[in-house]
Amino acid sequence: MFKDLYSIITFVISGAICVGLIFLLYDKYLNTLGFEENLKKLTGIYIGVSGFLSAILMVFLATSAMNQKSYKAKIIHKISKTTQKMHNFRTISEILFNSDIWLPGLKDYMEKDYSNLSYFDVKEFYKGKSKLAIEFLQETHHFGETENLYMELKSLLMTDPKEKQIPETINYPVFYNNNIIEKWVEHKCGSGLWYVFGYKFGNYKESLNLDAVFERHREKILTLANTIDNDVFEKSSFNEVFFSKLWEYLTKDVIPKLSQFQSHIDRKTPRLIYYLYIVFLLLIVFGVLVPITYLMLNFSVLAVIVSYSIVISTIFYVAITFHIFLSKEVNR
């Protein structure tokens, strides 16, 4: 807040300096013999200095743009790898979601009575946005407390937090929507599954029948897990220990990285770049183009007086505020 106020005050002072210089120089022009000739002599040096500073800024801006492009390319490469891992996790989730590991009647119960309820609605029941979520939490369920696991698994198949129904064909986007990533992170999707398979599976053996997964689906799940991270899942067997590691990996590694890389790729161009571009533009227009036009076409001396004043006040503003913009970028 203080820094913003400081910048505004400096801008006002710079504006006052600009206006003051215009009046001062114009008064000098009216009352001093030969003043215009002196201005013309200085204009060549003035153009040279402005052009030199503009060239430095142009090189800096071009280099910054290339660096940003290179940085984004690296992030895109990283996020693509992590996105593919998320695709594999969601394929595993889809297999389990559509399998017969659930108690008989659970799917019908959830899709009939709570088809318009999502895992996120339940986790955010305290916001009071979903009466169905409150009703669900107050209801006495009869499926070994696997209803939440069912919804958690379902949430991993979503690509938008507003979705209520899972499409027949699961969507695997090039990049996941920020909104769904934020929800996965906020509600630690996968952690409930990790907790059950890692610490409470003894209580769920009668409710989650891993033996009901077809052999070909087991092989596919293990293959996908090895694709995700061969070092972690290489010697895994299809059991609760494997699923504990799997959901832990999702919770601790894949979703956080997905969020991290996504935030990097969505970063806006630094304000410092815009700041320097405006300075560059002012130098080019009022430090080079206007003075050259004045010399070539014999414009009114007022034009070059205005350009001198704007450039001098701009340099003053930069000298006073540059460290603020620099510190903001360092602390981003």
Side-chain angles (χ1 to χ4, degrees), residues 61-261:
L61 290 169
T63 304
S64 297
M66 294 303 293
N67 287 340
Q68 273 209 308
K69 185 178 179 180
S70 174
Y71 174 75
K72 281 204 170 184
K74 289 177 183 176
I75 292 296
I76 287 172
H77 176 68
K78 287 181 179 179
I79 201 174
S80 295
K81 290 174 68 176
T82 307
T83 298
Q84 186 55 54
K85 287 185 178 183
M86 192 65 203
H87 288 347
N88 293 339
F89 265 109
R90 293 178 72 239
T91 301
I92 293 170
S93 300
E94 182 185 6
I95 292 170
L96 293 176
F97 184 76
N98 292 322
S99 72
D100 293 326
I101 65 169
W102 313 104
L103 286 172
L106 172 67
K107 286 184 182 180
D108 290 338
Y109 170 68
M110 293 301 296
E111 298 304 329
K112 181 182 177 182
D113 293 2
Y114 297 104
S115 59
N116 290 320
L117 182 67
S118 74
Y119 182 68
F120 308 126
D121 292 332
V122 174
K123 298 294 280 186
E124 296 172 5
F125 75 94
Y126 58 89
K127 294 182 179 179
K129 292 181 180 179
S130 173
K131 291 182 180 179
L132 194 59
I134 296 170
E135 181 186 318
F136 173 80
L137 291 169
Q138 292 174 341
E139 182 76 21
T140 301
H141 304 294
H142 306 284
F143 296 96
E145 298 183 9
T146 55
E147 297 87 354
N148 275 324
L149 296 180
Y150 181 87
M151 284 198 294
E152 185 173 5
L153 206 57
K154 187 177 179 180
S155 73
L156 294 171
L157 299 178
M158 296 177 177
T159 51
D160 189 313
K162 293 179 181 178
E163 284 180 349
K164 302 298 180 184
Q165 306 292 333
I166 300 301
E168 288 186 16
T169 304
I170 301 298
N171 181 28
Y172 293 91
V174 177
F175 295 113
Y176 286 100
N177 187 295
N178 260 347
N179 294 332
I180 192 66
I181 294 174
E182 286 172 4
K183 289 294 182 184
W184 286 338
V185 171
E186 181 184 352
H187 300 303
K188 298 178 181 177
C189 288
S191 62
L193 293 157
W194 168 29
Y195 177 73
V196 166
F197 282 102
Y199 302 98
K200 293 288 183 179
F201 191 70
N203 299 340
Y204 285 82
K205 275 188 176 180
E206 303 301 321
S207 309
L208 294 171
N209 183 14
L210 292 179
D211 293 333
V213 179
F214 295 136
E215 186 63 34
R216 68 178 185 277
H217 286 161
R218 294 186 192 191
E219 291 176 4
K220 185 174 182 180
I221 287 171
L222 289 170
T223 301
L224 286 167
N226 275 280
T227 304
I228 291 167
D229 195 321
N230 188 55
D231 293 335
V232 175
F233 301 110
E234 184 180 10
K235 296 180 180 179
S236 296
S237 301
F238 193 85
N239 53 34
E240 69 275 11
V241 177
F242 160 69
F243 279 107
S244 172
K245 285 197 296 183
L246 189 74
W247 301 122
E248 180 183 8
Y249 192 93
L250 174 69
T251 305
K252 287 187 173 181
D253 188 279
V254 176
I255 291 178
K257 280 184 179 176
L258 204 60
S259 175
Q260 179 189 356
F261 294 146

